[in-house]
Amino acid sequence: ESAAPLRRRWGVGPCRRPPTELAAPATSTGLRVPAPPQGGSWAPCSFRGVRMSGLIQIHEPGKTPLPHADVAAIGIDLGTTHSVVAVSTGHEAEAIHDAHGRAIIPSVVQFDGRHIIVGHEARKAVLEGESGVISSVKRLMGKSAADLASEQLSYMLDDAREGMVRLKIGKRSITPVEVAAEILSHLKRMAVDALGREVTQAVITVPAYFDDAARAATKDAAKLAGLEVLRLINEPTAAALAYGLDTEAEGIFAIYDMGGGTFDISILKLQDNVFQVLSTAGDTALGGDDMDRVLAAYVQDKCKAKKKPTQAEYGQLLGICRQAKERLSEAKDTTITWGNVDVTITSAQLESMVEPFVTRSILCCERVLSDAKLSPHAITGVVLVGGATRMGLIKKKVEAFFGKKPLDSIDPDLTVALGAAIQAEALTKGADHLLLDVIPLSLGLETVGGITEKIMYRNTPIPAAVSQEFTTYKDGQGAMKIHVVQGEREKVADCRSLGQFDLRGIPPLPAGIARIRVTFTIDADGLLTVSARELTTGTEQQIAVKPSYGLEFDEIERMLSMSMQHARSDITERLLIEARVEAGRAIEEVQSAMVLDSQMLKQGEAEMLKDQIARLGEAAKGHDRERIDYERTQLNQLVGPFAERRMDKAIAGALTGKRIEEVK
């Protein structure tokens, strides 16, 4: 059965907001979505005009509710190219090294028959052109095979499987979650060996623009690795945490994080050990991997390759180019050997190739400052995070934009893991700081007419809960469908559907009487739960919103860009849709009243109302919002006397047989 969406009741236009007050947190158990009821059609519901919002699960510094037991909790930076594990004691964080004294572990896994090899040995296999090697798996988290159709990969996808992307390794078919779990298991073993005790808890970092599916996939990978995730925190926030506690800095900082597969830029305010994210932006299809691919294409062209390399050969070429790129961070030139051909490349040539990527990152910096309503001069300092920021071009561009020399006193490859370790210690042994993160995109519901009603706005601090009350759209309506969407556009068709569920058991009351409270709850990991409760009967339904694959890595940037480009036209179209909805509602109410109390109509009144209904219906078919509003106003004026007689009758009926004392 199909169900119509929601309808707002408190006013027309997106700028009129209802009052706000604190709300209690909603539960987050996540019930199974029931099947729609049999028989009959569902109607939409309408807004009652009560909105409640507030932070949840926020505790004073040093008073975290988690047990303060003497346990080993680690911080993990699960990176696209490299991963790092760290531990903090007394707010002093340090990276954990393996048996060979290496702290930076390549995020590479080789499935060699019965053996699974992780890290440096697996990267050697890449450089030697061996098969069964998976790298940069982080870019696959939360994606489907269709999302990767246009990308050139160094491994094969299992096309025989539908749904979540799977990788074909020999006779095996594995998911990115399983590959990530092997990396996390390796890091866990390093921590156990170094600390001499069992490790079961971790704080893991994710890109600020990871959506719900990618975050959930990261938690699933940790579970497979035998790790309880205390918290997922955004990578730029973790970097700020490391710098803030390490240098006791205060002010407004920009965290410029260019990793292997993603780019994030966040503006954070550090004051009195409170770390508040003011705004965040980024590009989850931008990073060192893209620079490697450009360099690889250049080498292939110089070598005049006659045939397309195999996946293993292409993976080998990417590994060689990555090493050359790293050498050029310090050297003026280097030589790449491929196919028995030597290709010499200078640092200036490399910078020319990658400049478009750096320019894209600066555009993100402009947007994040605009969101925070700040100028570059208001920034106290710029923190560089990620191995790609060692490139001289990036340092020059960042300094030119912000007008100050960037901070790089902490190894950019270690910063994120160190911040995660500090947060892990805080969650297990108490904290002297408070961490407030934000959501990257607005969340809302579909309302009647296919427009989006935003419930929780982008850059809202998390964890948080926001509640909003709705009411039924039709008389006797017993159920409604709640459709959750994500995005900045005014129409649902231009946003992304996250999920939907059904609320049944609504009392069969007249339209506008039932009260349904919808609550959005975002936990500290950025995962969303939506619940709906009918306040008269207590009937409730909820869902943990977990998309199958997640947004494509460039989808968030596209959605934000489109919302800005189409802001004016979106608002105009929204207002037109709302005018049509209100016109339809007015026509339905008047027609229903004329049927129920036809005997109360005076001579000629019915024909006059029918004519005005026809004029309003005709206006609603057009695109002139002012005419629709005018004709609806005319209908309200004409129906006024009839409505007054109906009201008098209803009051008289209610008072018949009652004593004055009973009425009082």
Side-chain angles (χ1 to χ4, degrees), residues 61 79 88 102 115 144 162 168 214 243 248 252 262 380 438 460 480 533 540 608 617 660:
S88 178
R102 301 170 299 199
H115 303 288
S144 69
E162 295 182 357
K168 192 171 183 180
Y243 265 90
E248 298 182 356
I252 299 176
T262 61
T380 306
V438 298
T460 294
M480 68 174 62
R533 178 183 178 87
E540 185 172 3
M608 181 175 59
I660 296 177

Side-chain angles (χ1 to χ4, degrees), residues 411-439:
D411 188 329
D413 283 316
L414 305 181
T415 307
V416 170
L418 297 178
I422 291 170
Q423 183 67 7
E425 182 187 21
L427 291 173
T428 53
K429 298 183 179 180
D432 292 326
H433 64 271
L434 184 64
L435 181 60
L436 301 178
D437 227 321
V438 298
I439 61 171

Side-chain angles (χ1 to χ4, degrees), residues 29 66 88 97 143 155 185 188 212 234 270 325 332 424 440 485 513 573 661:
T29 54
L66 294 177
S88 178
H97 295 68
K143 299 189 79 172
Y155 34 78
S185 295
K188 176 184 174 182
D212 280 355
N234 292 342
L270 281 59
K325 179 189 67 179
K332 291 184 177 181
V485 296
I513 302 301
E573 189 165 2
E661 292 80 4

Side-chain angles (χ1 to χ4, degrees), residues 522-535:
I522 296 247
D523 66 15
D525 295 326
L527 300 177
L528 172 65
T529 299
V530 179
S531 64
R533 178 183 178 87
E534 202 288 309
L535 300 182

Side-chain angles (χ1 to χ4, degrees), residues 527-549:
L527 300 177
L528 172 65
T529 299
V530 179
S531 64
R533 178 183 178 87
E534 202 288 309
L535 300 182
T536 304
T537 63
T539 300
E540 185 172 3
Q541 182 60 280
Q542 61 186 14
I543 181 175
V545 179
K546 183 178 178 181
S548 300
Y549 316 118

Side-chain angles (χ1 to χ4, degrees), residues 241-357:
L241 203 57
Y243 265 90
L245 294 182
D246 209 37
T247 64
E248 298 182 356
E250 289 200 352
I252 299 176
F253 288 81
I255 314 299
Y256 181 102
D257 183 358
M258 178 75 80
T262 61
F263 169 72
D264 285 317
I265 176 71
S266 294
I267 305 297
L268 297 95
K269 184 177 182 180
L270 281 59
Q271 185 175 12
D272 296 329
N273 284 335
V274 175
F275 295 71
Q276 181 183 5
V277 180
L278 301 181
S279 62
T280 186
D283 189 332
T284 41
L286 173 62
D289 284 1
D290 300 284
M291 301 176 186
D292 298 339
R293 292 189 178 97
V294 169
L295 184 54
Y298 175 81
V299 172
Q300 285 179 292
D301 181 63
K302 288 294 182 182
C303 292
K304 295 181 172 57
K306 296 182 179 179
K307 63 176 182 177
K308 184 178 180 180
T310 64
Q311 275 116 351
E313 290 172 340
Y314 185 66
Q316 180 185 23
L317 175 59
L318 287 177
I320 294 172
C321 290
R322 182 175 297 118
Q323 288 185 330
K325 179 189 67 179
E326 292 169 356
R327 290 195 299 270
L328 288 173
S329 295
E330 299 179 355
K332 291 184 177 181
D333 59 68
T334 189
T335 299
I336 298 174
T337 301
W338 174 250
N340 297 322
V341 178
D342 292 337
V343 179
T344 300
I345 183 169
T346 66
S347 59
Q349 287 176 308
L350 178 62
E351 289 184 354
S352 177
M353 293 179 199
V354 305
E355 186 169 12
F357 300 117

Side-chain angles (χ1 to χ4, degrees), residues 364-378:
C364 292
C365 295
E366 292 177 353
R367 184 167 61 253
V368 79
L369 285 176
S370 175
D371 289 343
K373 296 179 174 58
L374 296 171
S375 68
H377 302 293

Side-chain angles (χ1 to χ4, degrees), residues 121-290:
E121 296 303 316
R123 188 168 70 173
K124 287 182 181 178
V126 172
L127 298 176
E128 293 171 3
E130 297 182 16
S131 60
V133 182
I134 305 297
S135 60
S136 299
V137 72
K138 184 175 176 179
R139 298 188 80 157
L140 307 183
M141 301 291 269
K143 299 189 79 172
S144 69
D147 297 330
L148 304 172
S150 61
E151 292 193 26
Q152 184 175 5
L153 302 173
S154 58
Y155 34 78
M156 294 182 63
L157 300 182
D158 188 351
D159 298 330
R161 302 292 188 95
E162 295 182 357
M164 181 186 296
V165 62
R166 301 182 74 93
L167 313 177
K168 192 171 183 180
I169 306 296
K171 296 182 179 181
R172 299 182 60 177
S173 178
I174 59 177
T175 66
V177 170
E178 294 172 273
V179 179
E182 294 296 341
I183 300 172
L184 292 173
S185 295
H186 182 83
L187 298 174
K188 176 184 174 182
R189 287 193 296 271
M190 285 175 54
V192 170
D193 293 342
L195 300 175
R197 69 178 100 166
E198 187 59 30
V199 174
T200 60
Q201 297 177 318
V203 168
I204 301 178
T205 63
V206 293
Y209 267 36
F210 251 22
D211 73 320
D212 280 355
R215 290 172 189 266
T218 303
K219 294 190 76 171
D220 290 343
K223 186 176 182 180
L224 285 178
L227 287 170
E228 174 193 355
V229 178
L230 297 174
R231 183 75 56 84
L232 294 177
I233 64 173
N234 292 342
E235 291 164 0
T237 307
L241 203 57
Y243 265 90
L245 294 182
D246 209 37
T247 64
E248 298 182 356
E250 289 200 352
I252 299 176
F253 288 81
I255 314 299
Y256 181 102
D257 183 358
M258 178 75 80
T262 61
F263 169 72
D264 285 317
I265 176 71
S266 294
I267 305 297
L268 297 95
K269 184 177 182 180
L270 281 59
Q271 185 175 12
D272 296 329
N273 284 335
V274 175
F275 295 71
Q276 181 183 5
V277 180
L278 301 181
S279 62
T280 186
D283 189 332
T284 41
L286 173 62
D289 284 1
D290 300 284

